[in-house]
Tab-separated table of all heavy atoms in Angstrom:
chain	number	residue	atom	x	y	z
Y	312	LYS	N	120.685	-3.827	163.138
Y	312	LYS	CA	121.476	-3.696	164.361
Y	312	LYS	C	122.105	-5.016	164.787
Y	312	LYS	O	122.953	-5.040	165.683
Y	312	LYS	CB	120.590	-3.177	165.499
Y	312	LYS	CG	120.002	-1.795	165.238
Y	312	LYS	CD	119.141	-1.344	166.404
Y	312	LYS	CE	118.534	0.025	166.138
Y	312	LYS	NZ	117.677	0.474	167.272
Y	313	ARG	N	121.702	-6.099	164.145
Y	313	ARG	CA	122.183	-7.436	164.511
Y	313	ARG	C	123.610	-7.677	164.038
Y	313	ARG	O	124.340	-8.490	164.570
Y	313	ARG	CB	121.226	-8.481	163.919
Y	313	ARG	CG	121.659	-9.921	164.018
Y	313	ARG	CD	121.666	-10.386	165.447
Y	313	ARG	NE	122.089	-11.785	165.527
Y	313	ARG	CZ	123.352	-12.197	165.537
Y	313	ARG	NH1	124.331	-11.311	165.447
Y	313	ARG	NH2	123.643	-13.473	165.625
Y	314	GLY	N	124.034	-6.926	163.011
Y	314	GLY	CA	125.345	-7.146	162.413
Y	314	GLY	C	125.195	-7.835	161.069
Y	314	GLY	O	124.104	-8.206	160.644
Y	315	GLY	N	126.326	-8.003	160.378
Y	315	GLY	CA	126.289	-8.693	159.096
Y	315	GLY	C	125.803	-7.836	157.951
Y	315	GLY	O	125.339	-8.365	156.935
Y	316	ALA	N	125.924	-6.501	158.078
Y	316	ALA	CA	125.459	-5.624	157.000
Y	316	ALA	C	126.168	-5.971	155.690
Y	316	ALA	O	127.367	-6.222	155.657
Y	316	ALA	CB	125.731	-4.170	157.371
Y	317	PHE	N	125.408	-5.991	154.610
Y	317	PHE	CA	125.881	-6.242	153.245
Y	317	PHE	C	126.391	-7.674	153.039
Y	317	PHE	O	126.947	-7.991	151.990
Y	317	PHE	CB	126.978	-5.234	152.830
Y	317	PHE	CG	126.582	-3.803	153.027
Y	317	PHE	CD1	127.224	-3.010	153.969
Y	317	PHE	CD2	125.552	-3.246	152.291
Y	317	PHE	CE1	126.858	-1.696	154.163
Y	317	PHE	CE2	125.180	-1.926	152.468
Y	317	PHE	CZ	125.842	-1.144	153.416
Y	318	TYR	N	126.205	-8.514	154.041
Y	318	TYR	CA	126.603	-9.919	153.893
Y	318	TYR	C	125.923	-10.540	152.683
Y	318	TYR	O	126.539	-11.300	151.919
Y	318	TYR	CB	126.259	-10.675	155.179
Y	318	TYR	CG	126.236	-12.181	155.104
Y	318	TYR	CD1	127.180	-12.894	154.374
Y	318	TYR	CD2	125.259	-12.904	155.784
Y	318	TYR	CE1	127.153	-14.281	154.323
Y	318	TYR	CE2	125.233	-14.293	155.746
Y	318	TYR	CZ	126.182	-14.979	155.009
Y	318	TYR	OH	126.152	-16.333	154.966
Y	319	SER	N	124.652	-10.222	152.483
Y	319	SER	CA	123.918	-10.857	151.389
Y	319	SER	C	124.511	-10.491	150.036
Y	319	SER	O	124.681	-11.351	149.166
Y	319	SER	CB	122.434	-10.469	151.437
Y	319	SER	OG	122.272	-9.073	151.348
Y	320	GLU	N	124.854	-9.208	149.845
Y	320	GLU	CA	125.441	-8.788	148.577
Y	320	GLU	C	126.760	-9.493	148.330
Y	320	GLU	O	127.052	-9.972	147.230
Y	320	GLU	CB	125.640	-7.276	148.539
Y	320	GLU	CG	124.367	-6.483	148.311
Y	320	GLU	CD	123.660	-6.131	149.611
Y	320	GLU	OE1	123.920	-6.797	150.634
Y	320	GLU	OE2	122.846	-5.195	149.593
Y	321	ALA	N	127.593	-9.576	149.392
Y	321	ALA	CA	128.888	-10.238	149.244
Y	321	ALA	C	128.719	-11.715	148.948
Y	321	ALA	O	129.435	-12.285	148.113
Y	321	ALA	CB	129.715	-10.032	150.520
Y	322	ALA	N	127.771	-12.363	149.626
Y	322	ALA	CA	127.556	-13.795	149.427
Y	322	ALA	C	127.040	-14.088	148.019
Y	322	ALA	O	127.486	-15.050	147.371
Y	322	ALA	CB	126.577	-14.319	150.474
Y	323	VAL	N	126.096	-13.284	147.543
Y	323	VAL	CA	125.565	-13.474	146.196
Y	323	VAL	C	126.675	-13.290	145.164
Y	323	VAL	O	126.827	-14.095	144.227
Y	323	VAL	CB	124.405	-12.501	145.918
Y	323	VAL	CG1	124.055	-12.476	144.427
Y	323	VAL	CG2	123.182	-12.886	146.731
Y	324	ASP	N	127.466	-12.249	145.325
Y	324	ASP	CA	128.545	-11.958	144.379
Y	324	ASP	C	129.544	-13.107	144.327
Y	324	ASP	O	129.952	-13.567	143.249
Y	324	ASP	CB	129.239	-10.665	144.797
Y	324	ASP	CG	129.875	-9.926	143.632
Y	324	ASP	OD1	129.644	-10.308	142.477
Y	324	ASP	OD2	130.609	-8.955	143.888
Y	325	LEU	N	129.939	-13.600	145.502
Y	325	LEU	CA	130.920	-14.674	145.554
Y	325	LEU	C	130.359	-15.960	144.962
Y	325	LEU	O	131.020	-16.636	144.144
Y	325	LEU	CB	131.372	-14.896	146.995
Y	325	LEU	CG	132.392	-16.007	147.237
Y	325	LEU	CD1	133.625	-15.828	146.364
Y	325	LEU	CD2	132.775	-16.050	148.716
Y	326	ALA	N	129.139	-16.322	145.355
Y	326	ALA	CA	128.541	-17.544	144.821
Y	326	ALA	C	128.365	-17.461	143.306
Y	326	ALA	O	128.628	-18.438	142.586
Y	326	ALA	CB	127.199	-17.812	145.504
Y	327	ALA	N	127.943	-16.309	142.812
Y	327	ALA	CA	127.748	-16.148	141.368
Y	327	ALA	C	129.057	-16.361	140.615
Y	327	ALA	O	129.088	-17.021	139.563
Y	327	ALA	CB	127.179	-14.770	141.061
Y	328	SER	N	130.147	-15.828	141.152
Y	328	SER	CA	131.437	-15.984	140.478
Y	328	SER	C	131.921	-17.433	140.528
Y	328	SER	O	132.402	-17.981	139.534
Y	328	SER	CB	132.481	-15.070	141.125
Y	328	SER	OG	132.172	-13.713	140.893
Y	329	LEU	N	131.805	-18.063	141.686
Y	329	LEU	CA	132.268	-19.445	141.817
Y	329	LEU	C	131.452	-20.408	140.966
Y	329	LEU	O	131.973	-21.422	140.492
Y	329	LEU	CB	132.198	-19.880	143.287
Y	329	LEU	CG	133.174	-19.203	144.253
Y	329	LEU	CD1	132.863	-19.606	145.693
Y	329	LEU	CD2	134.623	-19.543	143.908
Y	330	LEU	N	130.176	-20.071	140.744
Y	330	LEU	CA	129.285	-20.971	140.010
Y	330	LEU	C	129.137	-20.608	138.544
Y	330	LEU	O	128.295	-21.164	137.833
Y	330	LEU	CB	127.910	-21.003	140.685
Y	330	LEU	CG	127.908	-21.488	142.131
Y	330	LEU	CD1	126.507	-21.452	142.712
Y	330	LEU	CD2	128.506	-22.880	142.249
Y	331	GLY	N	129.942	-19.645	138.069
Y	331	GLY	CA	129.949	-19.324	136.654
Y	331	GLY	C	128.786	-18.499	136.182
Y	331	GLY	O	128.451	-18.512	134.995
Side-chain angles (χ1 to χ4, degrees):
K312 298 180 181 180
R313 171 68 180 83
F317 307 113
Y318 164 40
S319 59
E320 284 89 340
V323 167
D324 207 9
L325 179 54
S328 293
L329 292 173
L330 300 179

